[in-house]
Amino acid sequence: MKCRRKEMKIAELTLLLLLSAALLISGCGNSEREVQPSRSGGFTFLEIGSDTVYSKALRSKLKGVLDSGGIITQTPIDLNLMAPGFLADYFPELDALNRQFNRAGEARVEHDTIQLYHRHARRKAQPFDVVELLFNQSTGQPLYFKIKTDAAGEELVDAMQAKHGDPTIVELNDRLGKIYSWQHQADRLVMVREIDRRDNVKFHIGIYYGTHLKALLKTELEAIEKEREARRKAGEKAF
């Protein structure tokens, strides 16, 4: 009888150890992976670059660096860094892309996107007033980053010049200010330095991931064409 009780205790202990091991393995599998810095060699913001993929871990990291922020899915896409018409005046190739995302005749075109936005990064001693990061929801790839800051941007221009070389510089045609831009393969970094009506320096910074933007647009246009073809076939069958 004693031997039988001893065997039962050993079996119970073994089962407990197996359950503990299973729980430990399960816990490890659900843990978020650490976000790795971009290695693309192109334009980055807070180590996020063209090879970064959106994840919950990335959002958690941004909350720690910037602020709690917010998230929106299925958003419109407006690539204009400043007022409407900015791209048409200075970056016609980006304007053409923007027009395709905002198809004529449709009041509000929503896309398969994830937008992260942060408005209180100053509370964590970050020199940013507005941070908006747009990702492709299906692939997780970055599409377009938009950042606003004040005179602290002067140092950012110097840093970008040291990292990416001399920019192309263009004067703003409707106010005091300059546009600095860099090109890396299909991607573009744009920094606008303007003087507002109160003589304050403002910076508008945009990072455009051209390859990813064009890939999303291609996917959308193919889906539209399939839908049109399906309607056409349905019409032929109806009559």
Side-chain angles (χ1 to χ4, degrees):
M1 181 67 93
K2 289 183 179 179
C3 290
R4 189 172 182 181
R5 288 179 180 174
K6 186 175 181 180
E7 289 174 356
M8 290 178 65
K9 287 183 178 180
I10 293 173
E12 290 174 357
L13 181 60
T14 302
L15 180 60
L16 181 62
L17 289 172
L18 289 172
L19 288 172
S20 298
L23 289 171
L24 180 61
I25 293 171
S26 176
C28 291
N30 290 330
S31 63
E32 293 181 344
R33 294 181 179 180
E34 183 179 351
V35 181
Q36 298 298 320
S38 171
R39 296 182 179 179
S40 66
F43 307 126
T44 63
F45 175 70
L46 297 177
E47 299 182 329
I48 305 170
S50 63
D51 57 345
T52 301
V53 177
Y54 172 81
S55 65
K56 291 182 179 179
L58 176 61
R59 190 184 177 203
S60 179
K61 175 184 175 180
L62 291 170
K63 285 182 177 181
V65 175
L66 298 173
D67 59 56
S68 57
I71 182 171
I72 310 173
T73 59
Q74 300 298 121
T75 69
I77 293 179
D78 182 7
L79 301 179
N80 274 299
L81 187 56
M82 299 175 68
F86 171 78
L87 292 179
D89 289 340
Y90 304 103
F91 300 97
E93 74 284 1
L94 289 174
D95 180 61
L97 193 59
N98 195 49
R99 288 177 183 273
Q100 288 180 287
F101 277 121
N102 297 279
R103 293 178 278 278
E106 298 184 42
R108 178 184 170 91
V109 182
E110 295 182 343
H111 307 271
D112 187 24
T113 52
I114 296 174
Q115 183 181 34
L116 305 181
Y117 59 91
H118 300 267
R119 300 287 188 273
H120 305 290
R122 298 278 183 182
R123 295 175 182 175
K124 295 200 174 183
Q126 294 287 355
F128 310 116
D129 298 309
V130 175
V131 173
E132 296 179 1
L133 310 177
L134 191 68
F135 296 84
N136 184 323
Q137 187 167 199
S138 296
T139 65
Q141 295 171 325
L143 299 170
Y144 170 50
F145 296 168
K146 182 177 181 179
I147 303 105
K148 293 182 181 180
T149 186
D150 56 15
E154 304 282 10
E155 297 178 0
L156 296 177
V157 172
D158 293 338
M160 291 302 98
Q161 188 165 357
K163 184 175 182 181
H164 301 295
D166 293 334
T168 299
I169 303 175
V170 177
E171 298 283 340
L172 287 172
N173 57 24
D174 60 345
R175 70 195 77 182
L176 290 175
K178 295 181 179 181
I179 303 172
Y180 305 84
S181 65
W182 293 261
Q183 186 86 29
H184 177 77
Q185 297 176 2
D187 302 338
R188 186 180 287 276
L189 168 62
V190 177
M191 301 182 72
V192 180
R193 181 188 188 275
E194 69 163 335
I195 310 296
D196 67 15
R197 295 177 181 178
R198 298 181 180 179
D199 292 330
N200 296 316
V201 177
K202 299 291 183 182
F203 276 86
H204 306 263
I205 304 167
I207 301 177
Y208 300 86
Y209 294 105
T211 299
H212 301 332
L213 284 165
K214 290 176 182 177
L216 174 60
L217 181 61
K218 180 182 178 183
T219 299
E220 291 184 353
L221 294 178
E222 288 175 348
I224 290 171
E225 186 57 35
K226 285 182 180 179
E227 187 176 336
R228 286 175 180 168
E229 182 65 16
R231 288 200 301 266
R232 185 186 65 79
K233 289 183 179 179
E236 289 177 351
K237 290 181 180 180
F239 297 94

